[in-house]
Amino acid sequence: MLPEAISLLRRLVATNSINPLFPGIRREDVIGGETACGAMLADHLSRFGFASETVAHDPERKNTVMRKSGTGGGRSLFINGHVDTVAPFRPSEWLDGNPWSATIKDGRLYGLGSTDMKSGLVAAALAASALDAAGVRLKGELQIHAVVGEETMSHELGTSSVLDAGFGGDAAIVVEPTSQPRPLSVTAVSAGNFNLQIDVKGYGTHSGNRGPSIRAGGEGNAAGVNAVEKAMLVVQALQQLEQEWGITKSHPAFPAGIFSMVPGVFHGDAGVPSVGYLAESATVGYLVWYPPNERPAAIRAEIENHVHHASQLDSWLRHNPPVFRWESHWPVFDTSTDHPLIQSLVADRADVLGALPAGLAQTHSFNAVCDASFIAEKGIPVAAMGPGDLRCAHAVNEFVQLTEVSDCARILARTMMRWCGVA
Ligand SMILES: [Zn+2]
């Protein structure tokens, strides 16, 4: 890998660009890191014929768009990558006791954001600069978008705001880490997810009412209703639906049973133990993963209907239905594997890394969510392919294999030429 590309990656990783909206982070401690990363990339690419502009919904969090116009007559392409990172877990356990060390050891560069996903942006910059150095002029325009806010789904500050400002192209590649199941896998699809909170109401009375409230001969609901136990009925109902999903929900790009409802936070107002009362309210939070071939509205309706039907079997829930709060939605992206962009990436990956044995899938699913979804929402064909491994993203000693960065650049350079055309 070119020393100047390694130096660019080290400087990017050494820059703290934690997303200021990340839980537990004070904005004043981290603000400006994202903008600084975009400026570093723009400065680097200015030497290779790229002009840069910024789009800032939040003036202190600038998205940087680097663009080089084509000679005309070709299709345009843009590469998207986010410059924000999560906050580091257990910072003292990182190599050199520092998540921003950018230490290189045994061919790996360590640091927060190395895999997710500053190395992807460097690969794009490396590809663009290599084409320029080789005297290649593209027919179509090439843009590189270094965006903010991805880690908190703030696409309206990042990716979507850049597209709404009029930037974009005929196709896009998001350079998120896709080195699963093998280096630089071409991914064309991701599942969608919802954050869902379900509130269950009880009838909070003294804990001495437990007997009469639940035993034969007692007063039943009139004596008190423990919301925690009613919420457990909701959890059981959704476990049953999740089992059904294992059979009813499938997509060729995903292993069976992956579409799930993961209960996360569960809390009720159990009161002070020495006094004790039956919980007046309880909430259970879910992360729902649904397949790309289903409509989000239908998924919401299916879950609500299932809980509604289960509630009819309970004398309390029948009259006090659980309340659904659909807090956030990350849509899918699902580009046809026959699309020329995907086909180009598959061919160019084979060119650089060797063809995959016949019989193996040539494309894969992206096993998380990313900004490709918000690009797809604008009707733009999009793929995700980039260096790094999601298994070490967001984890202590996140790293990227440097050879993957240069291999990614070689693939991207080929796809840029094939997609945009060479003048
Ligand atoms: Zn990412």
Side-chain angles (χ1 to χ4, degrees), residues 82 116-117 150-151 176:
H82 64 85
D116 187 13
M117 54 175 289
E150 193 271 351
E151 294 290 1
E176 284 271 4

Side-chain angles (χ1 to χ4, degrees), residues 347-368:
D348 296 328
R349 184 192 181 283
D351 209 15
V352 171
L353 295 173
L356 296 175
L360 275 187
Q362 304 293 308
T363 63
H364 298 275
S365 55
F366 183 68
N367 293 327

Side-chain angles (χ1 to χ4, degrees), residues 200-207 210 224-231 266-271 276-283 316:
V200 178
K201 186 164 102 168
Y203 174 34
T205 61
H206 193 284
S207 59
R210 176 150 178 87
V225 175
N226 188 341
V228 167
E229 286 168 299
K230 296 304 174 189
F266 191 137
H267 58 83
D269 61 339
Y277 61 91
L278 306 180
E280 172 81 4
S281 67
T283 298
W316 175 260

Side-chain angles (χ1 to χ4, degrees), residues 338-358:
D338 295 331
H339 191 280
L341 173 75
I342 307 294
Q343 291 295 316
S344 174
L345 281 167
V346 166
D348 296 328
R349 184 192 181 283
D351 209 15
V352 171
L353 295 173
L356 296 175

Side-chain angles (χ1 to χ4, degrees), residues 48-50 66-79 128 131-132 136-144 168-171 412-423:
F48 302 97
F50 279 76
M66 293 144 276
R67 62 198 299 191
K68 186 174 184 178
S69 51
T71 57
R75 296 177 289 197
S76 58
L77 178 70
F78 68 99
I79 312 288
L131 291 183
D132 186 78
V136 173
R137 288 303 313 270
L138 299 176
K139 288 182 180 170
E141 176 166 297
L142 178 64
Q143 297 182 3
I144 298 175
D170 296 325
L412 288 174
R414 283 163 172 77
T415 299
M416 288 166 182
M417 290 192 289
R418 198 192 294 259
W419 179 266
C420 300
V422 175

Side-chain angles (χ1 to χ4, degrees), residues 59-72:
E60 292 183 301
R61 303 181 64 189
K62 291 191 171 83
N63 300 282
T64 304
V65 176
M66 293 144 276
R67 62 198 299 191
K68 186 174 184 178
S69 51
T71 57

